[in-house]
Amino acid sequence: MTAPRHFLDLSDFTGSTLRTILDAGKAMKARRRTPEAAKDRPLDGRVIALVFEQPSLRTRMSFDVGVRELGGSPLMVTGKEIELGEREAIEDTARVMSRYVDGIMIRILKHDALKELARHATVPVINGLTKTSHPCQVMADLMTFEERLGSIKGRTIAWTGDSNNVLASWVHAAARLDFTLRIATPPELAPSNELVAWAKGEGAAVELTSDAFEAVDGADCILTDTWVSMGDGEKERRHNLLQPYQVNSKLLKAASRDAIFMHCLPAHRGEEVTAEVMDGPQSAVFDEAENRLHAQKGVLAWCFDAIQA
Ligand code: CP
Ligand code: NVA
């Protein structure tokens, strides 16, 4: 039996495979709701479990719709129902689920649990967000950047705020797709030594600072995310530390004139981003949310061998 094609982290892939997946998603987006879309049915007759231990709007709906558009049937399961790693060994859950469904998309905070599930599943497993990474989000972000501003190769992307799961997937992408990623965080909330060492080992152009203005200077894109991610404590401390990293008009002006603003959502106006930026002409946040659907259709097509890469 050949190994299933899991989609766990962008760091597992070559730049060329990521590019092929993105191109497939882009092509399906162009064909969507045309007679041509009839050929995009790699999931015909297949059932894909969508498992959520945490809340979700975008991931839940975009996977549900994407699976249906590709000819498959989604099967929604909440974490409470299966109590992964609690009712039985994760490897047993993986084996049992693999007998019923053709693929598993899961949102679970524990990255090790995701990896354990994938190790024992005989069907593709897709990471729908862990505390460590959010690769599907960054595939949509890459698609959005390139739709707006062309190839990301050689460009400068700035991240300001907390260093979290979305940022980690951006670091992985920087190593694979050859762009510069400048990261501004308070020293107390800087990326882990492990992630920084990984980026260095891969020769990625990842630069760290604690100054948001230094990070965004002349950048093609400013990214941020919530100050309090799922599973985080110390809300007040985080708010105090992160205040200087807010994306506001003054910060946006320090970026390139054509720079776009991106945020994976859900966002909090007045906290990590002002309403003026979030709802302003340089904001690409709703295209980004839409592109979750299209980028993930590329991911699903790859997982189910409908594209060669
Ligand atoms: N961006 C994102 O993953 O959103 P949800 O948490 O709503 O799925
Ligand atoms: N960093 C956020 C992303 C939500 C989509 C979180 O983990 O809560």
Side-chain angles (χ1 to χ4, degrees):
M1 198 169 56
T2 54
R5 284 182 153 187
H6 299 312
F7 191 82
L8 304 182
D9 266 314
L10 300 188
S11 51
D12 299 336
F13 296 90
T14 61
S16 128
T17 301
L18 294 178
R19 176 62 56 204
T20 305
I21 295 173
L22 284 169
D23 286 349
K26 222 167 95 183
M28 285 187 278
K29 179 176 182 178
R31 289 195 290 271
R32 190 171 182 233
R33 294 185 173 144
T34 72
E36 278 278 278
K39 67 180 182 203
D40 298 326
R41 309 279 293 176
L43 299 185
D44 237 340
R46 289 177 151 137
V47 177
I48 313 298
L50 307 180
V51 184
F52 287 90
E53 287 208 338
Q54 283 74 38
S56 168
L57 168 67
R58 282 143 288 266
T59 307
R60 190 232 183 281
M61 294 192 72
S62 58
F63 267 106
D64 191 313
V65 171
V67 166
R68 289 170 203 263
E69 288 188 0
L70 297 181
S73 307
L75 169 61
M76 268 293 297
V77 190
T78 65
K80 269 200 187 76
E81 286 164 309
I82 59 171
E83 294 186 330
L84 191 69
E86 287 172 35
R87 287 189 74 223
E88 59 193 331
I90 293 177
E91 68 173 271
D92 293 346
T93 306
R95 289 188 176 128
V96 170
M97 286 184 79
S98 300
R99 302 279 178 117
Y100 297 137
V101 299
D102 301 284
I104 303 167
M105 193 293 308
I106 182 163
R107 167 167 290 191
I108 182 165
L109 291 185
K110 288 185 190 148
H111 199 76
D112 285 348
L114 169 83
K115 283 170 73 175
E116 176 77 353
L117 187 75
R119 199 170 302 125
H120 298 283
T122 55
V123 299
V125 173
I126 298 173
N127 177 357
L129 180 149
T130 68
K131 196 73 191 130
T132 307
S133 60
H134 198 1
C136 290
Q137 178 64 52
V138 174
M139 291 298 276
D141 296 357
L142 293 166
M143 183 182 269
T144 308
F145 179 90
E146 295 200 329
E147 279 176 354
R148 294 269 182 137
L149 297 175
S151 173
I152 199 162
K153 191 171 177 190
R155 310 297 280 275
T156 299
I157 308 298
W159 174 280
T160 166
D162 186 23
S163 60
N164 61 18
N165 42 11
V166 178
L167 173 63
S169 291
W170 267 100
V171 170
H172 296 159
R176 298 295 181 248
L177 295 170
D178 303 324
F179 57 86
T180 297
L181 180 62
R182 292 200 208 123
I183 303 170
T185 66
E188 295 86 342
L189 297 172
S192 70
N193 293 338
E194 193 190 342
L195 182 64
V196 174
W198 179 86
K200 210 170 158 198
E202 297 289 323
V206 172
E207 301 166 7
L208 304 185
T209 174
S210 56
D211 181 343
F213 280 90
E214 190 185 319
V216 307
D217 183 29
D220 299 297
C221 173
I222 302 185
L223 293 158
T224 194
D225 190 7
T226 181
W227 289 344
V228 186
S229 284
M230 291 181 272
D232 281 341
E234 301 188 303
K235 190 170 174 205
E236 202 181 318
R237 175 175 171 263
R238 291 177 157 277
H239 274 245
N240 292 335
L241 287 171
L242 288 160
Q243 208 68 53
Y245 299 86
Q246 182 190 64
V247 184
N248 49 40
S249 297
K250 195 170 160 214
L251 193 69
L252 189 58
K253 276 202 188 82
S256 145
R257 249 179 52 144
D258 304 326
I260 58 168
F261 168 70
M262 293 207 284
H263 187 310
C264 65
L265 307 181
H268 310 86
R269 290 175 179 79
E271 295 181 16
E272 72 270 13
V273 59
T274 58
E276 206 180 355
V277 171
M278 169 92 178
D279 304 312
Q282 286 166 273
S283 173
V285 300
F286 296 108
D287 287 353
E288 210 183 332
E290 179 189 332
N291 282 334
R292 291 294 302 276
L293 169 63
H294 309 301
Q296 287 160 194
K297 283 168 75 177
V299 169
L300 286 162
W302 178 82
C303 289
F304 290 90
D305 296 315
I307 50 175
Q308 296 315 313

